[in-house]
Amino acid sequence: MTEYEVVIGLEIHVQLWTESKMFCGCSTRFGAPPNTQTCPTCLGLPGALPVINRKAVELGLRTALALHCTVHPRSQFHRKNYYYPDLPKNYQISQYQYLDHPPLATDGYLEIEVEGTLRRVGIRRVHLEEDTGRLVHPEGEDYSLVDYNRSGVPLMEIVTYPDLRSPQEARAFLLKLRQILQYAEVSSGRMEEGTLRCDANVSLRRPGEPLGTRTEVKNMNSIRAVERALQYEIGRQRALLQRGEAVVQETRHWDERSGVTFASRTKEEAEDYRYFPEPDLVPLEITPAWIERVRAGLPELPDARRDRLMRVYGFGRYEAELLVSTRFQADFFEEAVRLYPSPRAIANWLVGDVAGYLNERNLELEDLPITPLHLAELVRLIEEGVISGRIAKDILPEVLGTGKRPSEVVRERGLLQISDEEALREVVRAVLAEHPEPVQDFRKGKERAIGFLVGQVMKRTGGRANPALVNRLLREELERLPA
Ligand SMILES: [Zn+2]
């Protein structure tokens, strides 16, 4: 039996990084008391008029250019009409491909790499719209409350072509998109805070056949959830098709706790929204000069930065990719290298022990109380022989946890490396006397035995011995021993 081919398209809503809302001057600050950031415009009161937020348009343009889209010189806002209590106007101002009015930008792409294969995912469109309010359902009460602080917050919608072929590709796409949005300072991209929301269209087909019936999966609150939900939904559709049953076109919600998708409501057709041009807004005119200004203001994007790190520092692709995973980390790395030019060691600590510390605690580098100076100093202390690598590993959690300088922790804990030759020679002699077997092994030509002996010396000195010196002294003393 031929396997089914998976077809996935994504719709991503991105909350734009602006101080004020899409069509009024109200604040977009997260977490304010309900309904304290509203005005007649975002409450949809009669007579209030919208004004387009220039910063939001700029951020939309940044995204469009970063995704290689065609920006349309003239785009139109539309009213998307529907009734829902979180929508005070009974319509949402959005952009829609309608008659001859294009949205802000169309037809771009994003390149992802999955298991060593480079894939180009088409971007159908990038458009701007406003967010809705938020319904709150107090536990155990028979009423709902509505908070309009979010009403009118600038959103950007990014829609892909159905070019993705697996949940892993969807995950890689979202990671890359989030990375670009963060680099371009378009959005914080934090899915947990709702600044990045993703819906997915999924269908299956036999290779070469037309697209199968799709379902739309919603309510996924993390990139991991998107991957899991898609895996579940693909399995569900495959089982239906194998039993000869039909997939129903519908919207399905992902339930994180039970790990399943369930049908919620039937899919609205575009006609239901009765789109028409927003009469209170003039078309959005974007001049070539504006586009060029935005293009010139874009930072170095992740792929370009990765390639530069490979070129300048001689890193492998994988290592460079890890270093540029966030702009914060890439900046952190380059600043540390500027302070102490030992790029390889700094990179190793950053993507090794520091990343391990962050993973264990589910933290981001920006959450730590340290600066690039801390890392530069740690590497300097090791390379100048003040502390051993072992000691550096030992003090790292305290440095990362408290923001104390490594030199301060070393001083406080009395961890200066022992480089006193006579003191170390005593220890080396004692270790050799206590371990005749490895000594014999070494004499029989087993070079590895010396590693054990070095380890014993390090143990006796609490890891403070200078390893290079220990190595030399061990060899000297082994030579001196009577045959
Ligand atoms: Zn307002």
Side-chain angles (χ1 to χ4, degrees), residues 73-121:
R74 198 178 154 96
S75 62
Q76 178 79 47
F77 282 96
H78 291 90
R79 287 191 182 181
K80 181 177 180 179
N81 294 277
Y82 67 102
Y83 171 76
Y84 202 70
D86 65 5
L87 191 70
K89 296 195 292 273
N90 286 348
Y91 62 83
Q92 179 186 22
I93 305 179
S94 180
Q95 290 192 312
Y96 188 68
Q97 188 104 37
Y98 173 81
L99 302 177
D100 55 346
H101 305 303
L104 181 71
T106 52
D107 288 308
Y109 64 86
L110 180 65
E111 270 177 349
I112 54 168
E113 198 183 320
V114 178
E115 285 164 6
T117 312
L118 209 58
R119 296 257 293 117
R120 186 173 276 202
V121 179

Side-chain angles (χ1 to χ4, degrees), residues 363-383:
L363 291 172
E364 306 279 336
L365 185 57
E366 40 270 67
D367 299 329
L368 295 180
I370 61 159
T371 64
L373 182 66
H374 288 77
L375 194 56
E377 189 181 87
L378 188 77
V379 172
R380 183 175 60 75
L381 291 174
I382 301 165
E383 293 190 356

Side-chain angles (χ1 to χ4, degrees), residues 17 71 73 92 125 149 155 257 321 340 349 403 413 478:
W17 223 331
V71 175
Q92 179 186 22
R125 67 170 187 272
N149 280 351
L155 283 187
R257 221 173 315 163
E321 193 91 58
Y340 186 74
W349 281 96
R413 294 213 215 156
L478 281 164

